[in-house]
Amino acid sequence: MTEQTAEATPFWLTENFAPVHEEVTATDLKVTGTIPSALSGRLLRNGANPQSGWSDHWFLGNGMLHGVEIRDGKANWYRNRYVKTPFFLKPDADVMESLGDMNMSTANTNVIHHAGKIMALEEGHWPFVVDDQLETVGPNNYAGKLTGPMTAHPKTCAATGEMLAFAYSMMEPYLTYYRISASGELLQVEPITVGAGTMIHDFNITRNNVVFMDLPALWNLEGIADSGLPIVWDESYGARLGVMPRNGSDKDVTWYEINPCYVFHPLNAYEDGNKIILDVCRMEDAMKPGSEAPPMLYRWVIDQDKGTVSETQLDDRVVDFPRVCDTVVGLKNRYGYAAAFAPNLPVAAGLIKYDLDSSSSSYHDLKGGQGSEAVFVKDPAGSSEDDGWVLSYVYRPETNQSDVVIVDSRHFDQEPVATIHLPVRVPAGFHGNWVPDGY
Ligand SMILES: [Fe+2]
């Protein structure tokens, strides 16, 4: 632990970014409004919650899961649990020295479900399986076939149920592609040739391809002094997108040069003939000392016939944590959802619904609340892509407690149809998902 003065306390240890230390189970949840009876499952979310009370960077705290189970129009429980990996169980372990041990995950970045497993993910280690009560089961190394790390942002193909993923590393192979069957078997481990080890937080899939983002945020231990992470910004590396057939190999990758930038999170990607459309939250840079380049929504169009990439800014608001309906991941989407940030802090003052076909959007004002990633849940009886609800954890500074809001996507700028009031606060965190019953 580093000795710090109060003045030096970084933002991720203050206000609602600060960790909570109690694992709570609450079953008597107050609800305002009417929870749609079609919602049957649980809204899970992960985030960094350092058990020591201190972490050197927002990304490095121990993973804590938060969940609310909803069924038959009722909110059955809220609970929060640390992901109890070996890293959690050795609180004095050094996060950097733990990079080579795939068990030593903070497991703090995302929580997904695939092939019957709920998994807490962090991009430097193995996934960790948890049960539907958020208790830790153990690592998933895919029957020994996963020997390196795996991204926290795998993509599950809406058409086939396959999960496509990757890993990046400071040592060769710098980039590795993974293809996992709908039944959870790791079918392909494919080293991909790139020029250096870069931080690749997320990637893109389409119906037939994956698209890697090789951007100039390079592994370098000297970066720790500036940003707290072993990453430096170096535009001389260039920036490129790599398109590979999903069942292809390293030799099949076509690289396209783009303007230097950084993208933590894409919204979605899909094919349109021989073009690939990618909508991304693009930043001018990342981990660059003195720069706080905000993410904004851009569209890249890769023209595979001409060998070009066009770049168009779609919105000038600061947005990130972009999401689409799970049934259009990798396929043509009309709608997208994102968190609209409050000034200078990665918390949402509102949520945005984009209609990308009509180049319009609607805004859900959280009215002083601090929102998190907007998770869309499709109405099983609905027909349109936006028939469903958007769920988000929202912190209320006036009560120091959090809610889960349920917003009707078709009436996005209106009051939530239901608000589930939690007896505790849910700290600002990273990513989550809806895990339906029968997942
Ligand atoms: Fe992320």
Side-chain angles (χ1 to χ4, degrees):
M1 188 183 297
T2 309
E3 204 169 298
Q4 298 287 320
T5 63
E7 291 74 26
T9 303
F11 80 84
W12 61 88
L13 299 173
T14 64
E15 300 185 9
N16 194 42
F17 289 86
V20 294
H21 295 292
E22 196 181 346
E23 294 186 329
V24 172
T25 303
T27 54
D28 192 17
L29 304 179
K30 215 175 98 194
V31 177
T32 304
T34 304
I35 297 174
S37 58
L39 288 174
S40 195
R42 47 210 67 72
L43 179 69
L44 305 186
R45 211 218 61 203
N46 205 343
N49 193 96
Q51 62 174 321
S52 69
W54 177 266
S55 63
D56 288 332
H57 192 279
W58 189 30
F59 296 170
L60 300 181
N62 303 92
M64 179 179 274
L65 298 171
H66 302 263
V68 169
E69 184 184 86
I70 298 170
R71 190 176 301 122
D72 299 326
K74 294 194 178 72
N76 292 334
W77 50 252
Y78 160 81
R79 66 185 70 210
N80 64 313
R81 296 289 185 274
Y82 278 110
V83 189
K84 297 184 179 72
T85 71
F87 184 74
F88 173 85
L89 298 170
K90 293 179 191 168
D92 294 330
D94 183 90
V95 69
M96 290 305 159
E97 291 172 3
S98 301
L99 283 170
D101 182 343
M102 291 302 114
N103 263 310
M104 292 290 277
S105 181
T106 61
N108 69 10
T109 311
N110 200 356
V111 53
I112 66 162
H113 70 94
H114 185 254
K117 289 187 172 75
I118 301 173
M119 292 179 280
L121 305 176
E122 170 254 80
E123 65 203 35
H125 301 86
W126 284 332
F128 269 74
V129 178
V130 300
D131 67 18
D132 63 7
Q133 309 292 297
L134 308 186
E135 300 297 338
T136 303
V137 176
N140 179 13
N141 64 10
Y142 289 90
K145 294 177 183 171
L146 181 68
T147 57
M150 192 176 97
T151 178
H153 286 290
K155 298 279 180 286
T156 299
C157 175
T160 67
E162 285 177 291
M163 189 165 82
L164 294 319
F166 68 95
Y168 69 89
S169 173
M170 66 191 300
M171 293 173 291
E172 291 193 77
Y174 298 126
L175 176 59
T176 304
Y177 169 65
Y178 303 130
R179 184 163 53 88
I180 298 160
S181 73
S183 60
E185 185 182 357
L186 179 51
L187 300 175
Q188 184 178 5
V189 176
E190 183 74 26
I192 304 295
T193 304
V194 289
T198 63
M199 177 178 69
I200 307 178
H201 182 67
D202 201 338
F203 85 145
N204 313 270
I205 69 166
T206 68
R207 182 63 189 84
N208 297 293
N209 298 286
V210 294
V211 184
F212 302 110
M213 299 184 289
D214 186 31
L215 307 175
L218 276 71
W219 271 104
N220 186 327
L221 293 174
E222 292 175 10
I224 292 175
D226 288 321
S227 69
L229 293 179
I231 303 290
V232 297
W233 182 252
D234 181 2
E235 286 189 17
S236 70
Y237 181 72
R240 56 200 68 80
L241 303 176
V243 178
M244 186 182 82
R246 275 165 43 170
N247 296 351
S249 62
D250 184 36
K251 66 179 178 0
D252 302 316
V253 181
T254 304
W255 291 99
Y256 298 86
E257 296 291 321
I258 59 171
N259 297 322
C261 66
Y262 197 76
V263 169
F264 276 101
H265 302 121
L267 175 75
N268 197 29
Y270 57 90
E271 293 159 14
D272 179 10
N274 270 346
K275 293 179 178 170
I276 296 176
I277 318 297
L278 305 97
D279 292 336
V280 301
C281 292
R282 179 191 183 279
M283 307 156 71
E284 286 296 314
D285 52 62
M287 310 297 167
K288 183 178 178 181
S291 174
E292 293 184 5
M296 296 180 188
L297 191 64
Y298 279 69
R299 173 163 290 186
W300 287 326
V301 178
I302 302 173
D303 187 322
Q304 297 184 93
D305 294 330
K306 293 180 180 166
T308 59
V309 181
S310 69
E311 180 178 280
T312 308
Q313 186 169 353
L314 300 183
D315 194 4
D316 61 4
R317 287 172 290 186
V318 179
V319 296
D320 209 319
F321 295 92
R323 297 298 299 261
V324 294
C325 175
D326 288 345
T327 63
V328 293
V329 172
L331 308 176
K332 166 76 175 76
N333 63 297
R334 175 169 179 177
Y335 301 103
Y337 306 88
F341 286 160
N344 303 321
L345 274 183
V347 295
L351 308 175
I352 295 179
K353 175 189 180 185
Y354 288 105
D355 180 341
L356 296 155
D357 283 3
S358 69
S359 300
S360 63
S361 66
S362 53
Y363 184 76
H364 184 85
D365 191 340
L366 293 168
K367 297 181 177 169
Q370 299 177 1
S372 55
E373 187 172 50
V375 177
F376 177 83
V377 185
K378 195 165 172 56
D379 181 349
S383 52
S384 165
E385 182 190 316
D386 66 339
D387 278 342
W389 302 274
V390 170
L391 279 62
S392 183
Y393 287 91
V394 178
Y395 172 66
R396 309 291 182 190
E398 64 274 20
T399 59
N400 198 33
Q401 293 177 331
S402 293
D403 297 331
V404 170
V405 298
I406 303 174
V407 178
D408 187 330
S409 173
R410 292 148 292 196
H411 306 286
F412 193 73
D413 57 355
Q414 297 180 17
E415 291 287 315
V417 295
T419 301
I420 302 166
H421 304 282
L422 309 181
V424 294
R425 70 180 179 92
V426 174
F430 303 130
H431 304 283
N433 282 283
W434 176 253
V435 179
D437 285 346
Y439 60 87

